[in-house]
Amino acid sequence: MKKRRAVMAAVAVLCAGVIAVGFSGCEWFSFNGKHNTPTGVSDTLGYYGSDTAAWLTSKSESPLEERYREYQAAIQSGLFTEEDLSFADYLKAMKEDSASLSSALRASVLIQTNKSLGSGVIYSIADEANANGSKNAYVITNNHVIEGSSSIYTYLYGDNYTVDSILPSALETTNVGSSKTEDIAVLSVEIPEDRLDFVQAVSAAVGTRDSDTAKVGEKIYAIGNPLGYGISVLSGSVSVEVENEYVVSRLSMRIDAPVTHGSSGGGLFDREGKLVGIVYGGLDQKVTDSNGNETTVSITGFGWAIPANRALSVAQCIIDNYESNRNGAATYGLLGTLEVESSRGEFDPLTQTIDIVEEVKIAAVESRSPFHDPLNSVKGKIIKSITVEKQGEMSVNLVITRKHQVETVLFNIRKGDSVTLNFADGSSAEATYSDLSHFSVKR
């Protein structure tokens, strides 16, 4: 730990030096006269001549190349070693988002159907090739992007693309399954043998993080295909970590990135390039009032995303059902009606943030649920934590602080799993999901 602190302190010193150079640079470029012209600037930077074309084509370093020189110089001066701090971590310390976002771009795709344009995120790429030498990849998008389409194509980041026709770079895509209520769909994309090298070099499965750790004000990037103009990056911040269920029709994270039509299905990433959500709404959006009445409103300046924890749980559920020949539908283990008994804000002195904490009560138990008991033994109890065991091994052990966490866990339950509910009064209840009657389908 002391060594780590010393390394970060060295980086902080180096950052201060870079900032100082930056400030002096601002003053340096403020000179009057020829220093404000391309020729003057090129003279100052070491290129001498009055040929503007030569100035434009003269060798210059990108900001990342300059960072690499700084990184090597710091190592040579003994501030740290490559084992102490990798170049990638150094860039993060220097807040070079462009480098960190490369992993997000590699996982981003453009989706074209016979009805609409949208975006998607590469969830996984098969390790083994098919009999014909091709490989399959799973892509996550929104259900509304591909719903009702008779043909679907996927373009990787960097592919040529046009809205008027299907280009040779387009990859054949099929709909594995979807959930309309959660607005998540999973696509299977076939990567032909002659493009495997390109895919390996350019594309990769998305990196993820716990979306429940997202904080209001955290910087985020929405990567998608806004207005069908091709993959691009929009930046903003988290406005609401989890939207009230009476405001929008599904579990949502509100963001102030100005997402538009075509952005749907694209990834919402943090500044390290890790997925925190799947963008699904902006502009015209359906909202629900406290009486359950739905209205379409025009939104500018912000939008919504499905938090990554929920989106990935639903997507994996669809994949598991598809690969088990049960059609590609999202199923969840039945429990019952959940209510928020109380909600409050709690200040965390360690992170200096305020977290919302809810007490989640079981208001009613579904009759087909394995937790159903004529004596209502769990009804009215506050859930403190949930444990899920798969084949005798613990796979989930989650402290419950928000209602949506319980609902997300239900998408992770499979036939044969043992689930334990631990309550605030110190009691617990255990049940095994032994047959399909304990599951409900999310269409």
Side-chain angles (χ1 to χ4, degrees), residues 5-127:
R5 288 176 179 170
V7 169
M8 296 313 293
V11 173
V13 171
L14 195 56
C15 287
V18 172
I19 291 171
V21 171
F23 283 149
S24 66
C26 290
E27 184 178 351
W28 173 53
F29 279 110
S30 68
F31 287 161
N32 293 322
K34 70 174 185 177
H35 291 288
N36 288 325
T37 67
T39 301
V41 172
S42 68
D43 287 348
T44 306
L45 294 178
Y47 173 78
Y48 298 93
S50 58
D51 187 347
T52 302
W55 147 249
L56 294 173
T57 57
S58 63
K59 178 175 174 56
S60 60
E61 289 185 323
S62 71
L64 294 185
E65 289 172 324
E66 292 176 0
R67 289 286 183 263
Y68 188 70
R69 282 196 301 103
E70 295 166 0
Y71 174 73
Q72 291 295 329
I75 290 175
Q76 292 171 11
S77 65
L79 289 175
F80 49 80
T81 67
E82 285 191 72
E83 289 73 25
D84 294 330
L85 190 71
S86 69
F87 183 53
D89 287 335
Y90 172 79
L91 290 174
K92 292 174 185 177
M94 297 293 285
K95 305 301 182 184
E96 285 288 353
D97 293 2
S98 60
S100 299
L101 283 178
S102 63
S103 60
L105 288 169
R106 294 183 71 190
S108 300
V109 299
L110 183 153
I111 295 171
Q112 184 176 26
T113 79
N114 61 305
K115 296 182 65 177
S116 66
L117 296 166
S119 313
V121 172
I122 299 174
Y123 180 56
S124 64
I125 302 175
D127 293 327

Side-chain angles (χ1 to χ4, degrees), residues 174-192:
T174 57
N175 181 12
V176 166
S178 60
S179 168
K180 185 172 183 177
T181 53
E182 301 296 325
D183 200 15
I184 290 293
V186 177
L187 309 178
S188 178
V189 179
E190 183 175 3
I191 306 167

Side-chain angles (χ1 to χ4, degrees), residues 326 370 388-393 395 412-419 430-439:
R326 290 201 299 269
V388 180
E389 292 186 0
K390 298 179 181 290
Q391 287 78 48
E393 296 184 4
S395 63
N412 289 276
I413 297 173
R414 303 292 183 266
K415 182 179 178 179
D417 290 354
S418 176
V419 178
E430 182 179 352
T432 298
Y433 286 76
S434 57
D435 62 67
L436 294 180
S437 68
H438 297 149
F439 294 81

